[in-house]
Amino acid sequence: MLRAARRLRPAHTPVWFMRQAGRSLPEYRKVREGIAMLDSCRRPELVTEITLQPVRRYGVDAAIFFSDIVVPLKAVGVGLDIRPGVGPVIDQPFRTRADLDRIPELEPEMIGDIAESVGLLTAELGGTPLIGFAGAPFTLASYLVEGGPSRDLARTKALMYSDPQLWEALLQRLAQISAGFLRVQVAAGASAVQLFDSWVGALPLADYRRFVQPSSAAVLDAVRELDPTAPRIHFGVQTGELLPAMAEAGADVVGVDFRVPLDVATARLGGDHAVQGNLDPALLFASREVLGQRVRQTLEAGAAAPGHIFNLGHGVLPDTDPDQAKFVVDTVHAWKG
Ligand code: CP3
């Protein structure tokens, strides 16, 4: 995985899945029974077990740290919860400058348990790399401003367009928090990071550059400063128009959703970035024959890039049959480009 991220041709194409730990695994549902999502993220033994589950079951080439993008917000004191089947819900949505005072900077001591979890994990993982992650400032802001998940991000965009100064102040604060969360994970032993800007595809390119890119760049730079050898992956959904600008923010690997074929994405990126993706997660519900064909098609398209990390175009869907995910891993590993 690290070799592919660094554009050094590995022996086989590496594969892992966004949301590989989680509801699709019976062993996950079992250990999570009776424990709230955000509580489970703060228990190092449980985080270690859940992070390792998909590595054991699937033989994926990387582990992704079990946590959530809102964990560092909660750690600085923002009132929020993750509701099952809904997602993050914020007690008091962000509306005015006074609301900034309720979002203090993140200090490493606030997330000592995260460093502990990463330490336990890297000891158990052996040669399998651990990917640390955080939410990018825009996506975190979207939850804070909307108060929860939203289809159109109307309030977020309204704040961004009508009060650019407050928007910038909010994104700077969130960049500090996001960078702090990533740096703690890297300092404790994560070998790579992924910055999720899941919902930034809602913006046109010019607005992305003006209102978002500087804060995402600040996060990625802060990781590079700490460890220049840790690859930085940057991903968002529906970001086909934004891929070069997201690369410019400081990504080594650009995550691509399932809407843009990887050879097209590679051409848009000028041919000099590794890519990650991008099988439609819905295809895991299709027949083995169709699934196998689409996996190979994705591998062939990915071969156009100087490095390819196989993944889905977004997270594993909750009702996915784990045997189908295992079939994808085996098909990727068996592929001889
Ligand atoms: O396996 C992994 O990928 C690592 C764990 C992980 C989780 N959240 C655990 C989780 C990761 C990387 C995330 C990132 C995350 N969280 C993102 C970015 C990735 C993406 O999907 O675009 C976003 C937008 C969130 C916010 C969030 N948290 C959502 C949208 C949800 C799902 C709501 C739902 O139930 O449909 C959550 C909850 C969440 N985060 C779960 C898990 C395993 C489900 C919790 C449960 O009810 O068991």
Side-chain angles (χ1 to χ4, degrees):
M1 202 287 292
L2 295 172
R3 287 184 64 83
R6 293 175 181 139
R7 298 172 297 174
L8 308 165
R9 300 273 171 195
H12 66 75
T13 301
V15 50
W16 68 277
F17 303 125
M18 294 184 272
R19 293 285 171 99
Q20 64 190 12
R23 282 170 297 177
S24 59
L25 294 180
E27 59 269 36
Y28 169 80
R29 292 194 294 267
K30 185 151 178 258
V31 296
R32 271 286 317 282
E33 244 169 61
I35 306 173
M37 174 63 193
L38 283 170
D39 293 338
S40 69
C41 295
R42 309 303 300 263
R43 296 195 189 182
E45 269 86 25
L46 190 55
V47 168
T48 303
E49 166 59 21
I50 295 174
T51 303
L52 291 172
Q53 284 176 345
V55 178
R56 282 190 210 116
R57 186 189 266 259
Y58 299 139
V60 281
D61 298 295
I64 175 116
F65 187 57
F66 181 78
S67 191
D68 195 83
I69 60 170
V70 297
V71 164
L73 295 179
K74 177 123 181 167
V76 300
V78 176
L80 62 86
D81 196 11
I82 291 182
R83 299 229 179 105
V86 177
V89 179
I90 312 294
D91 295 348
Q92 282 177 268
F94 184 94
R95 292 291 140 80
T96 68
R97 188 161 281 273
D99 293 326
L100 263 184
D101 299 337
R102 293 190 288 105
I103 315 174
E105 293 200 347
L106 181 70
E107 308 293 343
E109 307 78 64
M110 297 169 173
I111 49 170
D113 58 297
I114 300 293
E116 190 188 338
S117 299
V118 170
L120 290 173
L121 268 165
T122 43
E124 294 258 341
L125 275 163
T128 305
L130 177 68
I131 303 172
F133 78 91
F138 177 86
T139 290
L140 293 177
S142 78
Y143 284 106
L144 287 172
V145 176
E146 303 292 335
S150 151
R151 269 164 94 83
D152 45 32
L153 303 185
R155 285 174 180 276
T156 308
K157 291 182 181 183
L159 174 70
M160 182 180 93
Y161 292 126
S162 58
D163 194 344
Q165 282 175 337
L166 178 57
W167 174 259
E168 197 190 321
L170 172 61
L171 262 68
Q172 271 180 13
R173 178 64 50 84
L174 294 172
Q176 190 281 335
I177 291 170
S178 183
F181 192 51
L182 290 176
R183 285 167 65 107
V184 162
Q185 295 171 68
V186 170
S191 318
V193 299
Q194 176 152 331
L195 185 63
F196 283 96
D197 210 350
S198 299
W199 313 135
V200 78
L203 296 184
L205 178 61
D207 292 333
Y208 174 82
R209 285 193 189 282
R210 176 168 167 208
F211 293 109
V212 176
Q213 196 188 44
S215 60
S216 296
V219 177
L220 293 167
D221 283 350
V223 176
R224 185 185 2 234
E225 210 174 73
L226 178 68
D227 183 357
T229 70
R232 297 169 304 269
I233 310 168
H234 195 18
F235 168 80
V237 181
Q238 295 197 29
T239 49
E241 298 294 326
L242 309 181
L243 293 173
M246 290 177 73
E248 265 170 42
D252 301 297
V253 182
V254 178
V256 183
D257 87 350
F258 54 83
R259 292 168 182 83
V260 182
L262 293 177
D263 49 342
V264 176
T266 298
R268 287 183 190 178
L269 290 164
D272 54 3
H273 278 81
V275 295
Q276 176 175 278
N278 70 345
L279 184 78
D280 186 340
L283 274 156
L284 278 81
F285 294 77
S287 69
R288 286 269 164 111
E289 193 189 345
V290 170
L291 179 57
Q293 275 166 6
R294 290 298 188 117
V295 169
R296 283 185 289 275
Q297 205 178 327
T298 304
L299 287 161
E300 278 155 22
H308 177 208
I309 300 168
F310 192 101
N311 205 311
L312 303 179
H314 199 187
V316 174
L317 296 166
D319 295 330
T320 300
D321 174 357
D323 290 344
Q324 291 284 86
K326 172 81 175 113
F327 173 74
V328 172
V329 171
D330 293 343
T331 307
V332 173
H333 285 165
W335 189 66
K336 304 264 182 288

Coordinates of all heavy atoms in Angstrom, one line a residue, residues 16-23 28 32 37 64-69 82-88 133 139 143 196 198-199 235 237 314-315, ligand 1:
W16 N -7.8 -1.9 0.1 CA -8.5 -1.8 1.4 C -9.8 -1.1 1.1 O -10.0 -0.6 -0.1 CB -7.7 -1.0 2.5 CG -7.5 0.4 2.2 CD1 -6.5 1.0 1.4 CD2 -8.2 1.5 2.8 NE1 -6.6 2.4 1.5 CE2 -7.7 2.7 2.3 CE3 -9.3 1.6 3.6 CZ2 -8.2 4.0 2.6 CZ3 -9.8 2.9 4.0 CH2 -9.3 4.1 3.4
F17 N -10.7 -1.1 2.0 CA -12.1 -0.5 1.8 C -12.4 0.6 2.8 O -12.2 0.4 4.0 CB -13.2 -1.5 1.9 CG -13.0 -2.7 1.0 CD1 -13.0 -4.0 1.6 CD2 -12.9 -2.6 -0.4 CE1 -12.9 -5.1 0.7 CE2 -12.8 -3.7 -1.2 CZ -12.8 -5.0 -0.6
M18 N -12.8 1.8 2.3 CA -13.4 2.7 3.2 C -14.6 2.1 3.9 O -15.4 1.4 3.3 CB -13.8 4.0 2.4 CG -12.7 4.7 1.8 SD -13.1 6.3 1.0 CE -13.5 5.6 -0.7
R19 N -14.7 2.3 5.2 CA -15.7 1.7 6.1 C -15.6 0.2 6.1 O -16.6 -0.5 6.2 CB -17.1 2.1 5.6 CG -17.4 3.5 5.8 CD -17.7 3.8 7.3 NE -17.8 5.3 7.5 CZ -19.0 5.9 7.6 NH1 -20.1 5.3 7.5 NH2 -19.0 7.2 7.8
Q20 N -14.4 -0.3 6.0 CA -14.2 -1.8 6.1 C -14.5 -2.3 7.4 O -14.9 -3.5 7.6 CB -12.8 -2.2 5.6 CG -11.6 -1.7 6.5 CD -10.3 -2.0 5.9 OE1 -10.2 -2.3 4.7 NE2 -9.2 -1.8 6.7
A21 N -14.3 -1.5 8.5 CA -14.8 -1.9 9.8 C -16.2 -1.3 10.0 O -16.4 -0.2 9.6 CB -13.9 -1.3 10.9
G22 N -17.1 -2.1 10.5 CA -18.4 -1.5 10.7 C -19.5 -2.5 10.5 O -19.3 -3.7 10.5
R23 N -20.7 -1.9 10.3 CA -21.9 -2.7 10.4 C -22.0 -3.9 9.5 O -22.8 -4.8 9.8 CB -23.1 -1.8 10.1 CG -23.4 -0.9 11.3 CD -24.4 0.1 11.0 NE -23.9 1.0 9.9 CZ -24.6 2.0 9.4 NH1 -25.8 2.2 9.7 NH2 -24.0 2.8 8.5
Y28 N -18.3 -7.2 14.2 CA -18.4 -5.8 14.6 C -19.6 -5.6 15.5 O -19.6 -5.1 16.6 CB -18.3 -4.9 13.4 CG -18.7 -3.5 13.8 CD1 -17.7 -2.6 14.3 CD2 -20.0 -3.0 13.5 CE1 -18.1 -1.3 14.6 CE2 -20.3 -1.6 13.8 CZ -19.3 -0.8 14.4 OH -19.7 0.5 14.7
R32 N -19.9 -4.3 19.4 CA -20.5 -3.0 19.6 C -21.8 -3.0 20.4 O -22.3 -2.0 20.9 CB -20.7 -2.3 18.3 CG -19.6 -1.5 17.7 CD -19.4 -0.1 18.4 NE -20.7 0.5 18.7 CZ -21.4 1.2 17.8 NH1 -21.0 1.3 16.6 NH2 -22.6 1.8 18.2
M37 N -21.7 4.5 19.6 CA -20.7 4.7 18.7 C -19.5 5.6 19.2 O -18.3 5.2 19.2 CB -21.2 5.3 17.4 CG -20.2 5.7 16.3 SD -19.3 4.3 15.7 CE -18.0 5.1 14.8
I64 N -7.7 0.7 8.5 CA -8.0 2.2 8.7 C -8.5 2.3 10.2 O -9.3 1.4 10.7 CB -9.1 2.7 7.8 CG1 -9.6 4.1 8.1 CG2 -10.3 1.8 7.7 CD1 -9.3 5.1 7.1
F65 N -7.9 3.3 10.8 CA -8.2 3.5 12.3 C -9.7 3.6 12.5 O -10.4 4.3 11.8 CB -7.5 4.8 12.7 CG -7.5 5.0 14.2 CD1 -7.0 4.1 15.0 CD2 -8.0 6.2 14.6 CE1 -7.0 4.4 16.4 CE2 -8.1 6.5 16.0 CZ -7.5 5.5 16.9
F66 N -10.2 2.8 13.5 CA -11.6 2.9 13.8 C -11.9 4.1 14.7 O -11.4 4.2 15.8 CB -12.1 1.7 14.5 CG -13.6 1.7 14.8 CD1 -14.5 1.5 13.8 CD2 -14.1 2.1 16.1 CE1 -15.9 1.7 14.1 CE2 -15.4 2.2 16.3 CZ -16.3 2.0 15.3
S67 N -12.6 5.1 14.1 CA -12.9 6.3 14.9 C -14.0 7.0 14.1 O -14.7 6.4 13.3 CB -11.7 7.2 15.0 OG -11.9 8.2 15.9
D68 N -14.2 8.3 14.2 CA -15.1 9.0 13.3 C -14.6 10.5 13.2 O -13.8 11.0 14.0 CB -16.5 9.1 13.9 CG -17.5 9.5 12.8 OD1 -17.9 8.7 12.0 OD2 -17.8 10.7 12.8
I69 N -15.0 11.1 12.1 CA -14.5 12.5 11.8 C -14.9 13.5 12.9 O -14.3 14.5 13.1 CB -14.9 13.0 10.4 CG1 -16.5 13.0 10.3 CG2 -14.3 12.1 9.3 CD1 -16.9 13.8 9.0
I82 N -23.6 10.7 17.6 CA -23.8 10.0 16.3 C -25.0 9.1 16.5 O -25.0 8.3 17.4 CB -22.6 9.2 15.9 CG1 -21.4 10.1 15.6 CG2 -22.9 8.3 14.7 CD1 -20.1 9.3 15.1
R83 N -26.1 9.5 15.8 CA -27.3 8.7 15.9 C -27.3 7.5 14.9 O -27.0 7.8 13.7 CB -28.5 9.6 15.5 CG -28.7 10.7 16.5 CD -30.1 10.8 17.0 NE -30.1 12.0 18.0 CZ -30.6 13.1 17.7 NH1 -31.3 13.3 16.5 NH2 -30.6 14.1 18.5
P84 N -27.6 6.3 15.3 CA -27.6 5.2 14.4 C -28.5 5.4 13.2 O -29.6 5.8 13.4 CB -28.1 4.0 15.3 CG -27.9 4.5 16.7 CD -27.9 6.0 16.7
G85 N -28.0 5.1 12.0 CA -28.7 5.3 10.8 C -28.9 6.7 10.3 O -29.5 7.0 9.3
V86 N -28.4 7.7 11.1 CA -28.5 9.1 10.7 C -27.1 9.7 10.5 O -26.9 10.2 9.4 CB -29.2 9.9 11.9 CG1 -29.3 11.4 11.5 CG2 -30.6 9.3 12.1
G87 N -26.3 9.6 11.5 CA -24.9 10.2 11.4 C -24.8 11.3 12.5 O -25.6 11.3 13.5
P88 N -23.8 12.1 12.4 CA -23.5 13.1 13.4 C -24.6 14.1 13.6 O -25.1 14.7 12.6 CB -22.2 13.8 13.0 CG -21.6 12.8 12.0 CD -22.8 12.1 11.3
F133 N -6.9 9.0 10.0 CA -7.7 9.8 9.2 C -8.3 10.9 10.0 O -8.3 11.0 11.2 CB -8.9 9.0 8.5 CG -10.0 8.7 9.4 CD1 -11.1 9.5 9.5 CD2 -10.0 7.5 10.2 CE1 -12.2 9.2 10.4 CE2 -11.0 7.2 11.1 CZ -12.1 8.0 11.1
T139 N -16.0 19.6 5.3 CA -16.9 18.5 5.7 C -17.3 18.6 7.2 O -18.5 18.5 7.6 CB -16.4 17.2 5.3 OG1 -16.4 17.1 3.8 CG2 -17.3 16.0 5.8
Y143 N -21.2 19.7 8.9 CA -22.0 19.1 10.1 C -22.3 20.2 11.1 O -23.4 20.3 11.7 CB -21.3 17.9 10.7 CG -21.4 16.7 9.8 CD1 -20.4 16.2 9.1 CD2 -22.6 16.0 9.7 CE1 -20.5 15.1 8.3 CE2 -22.8 14.9 8.9 CZ -21.7 14.4 8.2 OH -21.8 13.3 7.4
F196 N -10.6 13.1 4.7 CA -12.0 12.9 4.1 C -12.6 14.3 3.9 O -13.0 14.9 4.9 CB -12.9 12.1 5.0 CG -12.6 10.6 4.9 CD1 -11.8 10.0 5.9 CD2 -13.2 9.8 4.0 CE1 -11.6 8.6 5.9 CE2 -13.0 8.4 4.0 CZ -12.2 7.8 4.9
S198 N -15.7 14.5 2.4 CA -16.7 13.7 1.8 C -17.7 14.6 1.0 O -18.1 14.2 -0.1 CB -17.5 13.0 2.8 OG -16.6 12.1 3.5
W199 N -18.1 15.8 1.5 CA -19.2 16.5 0.9 C -18.8 17.7 0.1 O -19.6 18.5 -0.4 CB -20.2 16.9 2.0 CG -20.6 15.8 2.9 CD1 -20.7 15.8 4.2 CD2 -20.9 14.4 2.5 NE1 -21.0 14.6 4.8 CE2 -21.1 13.7 3.7 CE3 -21.0 13.7 1.3 CZ2 -21.4 12.3 3.8 CZ3 -21.3 12.3 1.3 CH2 -21.5 11.7 2.5
F235 N -9.7 12.5 -0.2 CA -10.9 11.9 -0.9 C -12.1 12.7 -0.7 O -12.4 13.2 0.4 CB -11.1 10.5 -0.4 CG -12.4 9.9 -0.8 CD1 -12.6 9.4 -2.1 CD2 -13.5 9.9 0.1 CE1 -13.9 8.8 -2.5 CE2 -14.8 9.4 -0.3 CZ -14.9 8.8 -1.6
V237 N -16.5 12.8 -2.3 CA -17.5 12.2 -3.2 C -17.9 13.3 -4.2 O -18.0 14.4 -3.9 CB -18.8 11.8 -2.4 CG1 -19.8 11.1 -3.3 CG2 -18.4 10.8 -1.3
H314 N -16.9 4.8 -2.6 CA -17.3 5.4 -1.3 C -17.3 4.2 -0.3 O -16.8 3.1 -0.6 CB -18.6 6.1 -1.4 CG -18.8 7.1 -0.3 ND1 -20.0 7.7 -0.1 CD2 -18.0 7.5 0.7 CE1 -19.9 8.6 0.9 NE2 -18.7 8.4 1.4
G315 N -17.8 4.4 0.9 CA -17.7 3.4 1.9 C -18.6 2.1 1.6 O -19.5 2.1 0.9
Ligands
CP3_1 O1 -13.8 1.5 8.6 C1 -13.6 2.7 8.5 O2 -13.7 3.3 7.5 C2 -13.1 3.4 9.7 C3 -14.1 4.1 10.5 C4 -14.8 5.3 10.1 C5 -16.1 5.6 10.6 N1 -16.4 6.9 10.1 C6 -16.8 4.8 11.5 C7 -18.3 4.9 11.6 C8 -14.4 6.3 9.2 C9 -13.2 6.5 8.3 C10 -15.5 7.3 9.2 C11 -15.4 8.6 8.5 C12 -16.6 9.4 8.4 N2 -17.6 9.6 9.3 C13 -16.9 10.2 7.2 C14 -16.1 10.3 6.0 C15 -16.2 9.0 5.2 C16 -17.4 9.0 4.3 O3 -18.2 8.0 4.5 O4 -17.6 9.8 3.5 C17 -18.1 10.8 7.5 C18 -18.9 11.7 6.5 C19 -18.6 10.5 8.8 C20 -19.8 11.0 9.5 C21 -20.6 9.8 9.8 N3 -20.5 9.0 11.0 C22 -21.6 9.2 9.0 C23 -22.1 9.7 7.7 C24 -22.1 8.0 9.7 C25 -23.0 7.0 9.2 C26 -24.4 7.2 9.6 C27 -25.2 5.9 9.5 O5 -25.4 5.2 10.4 O6 -25.6 5.6 8.3 C28 -21.3 7.9 10.9 C29 -21.4 6.8 11.9 C30 -20.3 5.8 11.8 N4 -19.0 6.1 11.6 C31 -20.5 4.4 11.8 C32 -19.2 3.8 11.7 C33 -18.8 2.4 11.8 C34 -21.8 3.7 12.0 C35 -22.0 3.6 13.5 C36 -23.0 2.6 13.9 O7 -24.2 3.0 14.0 O8 -22.6 1.5 14.2

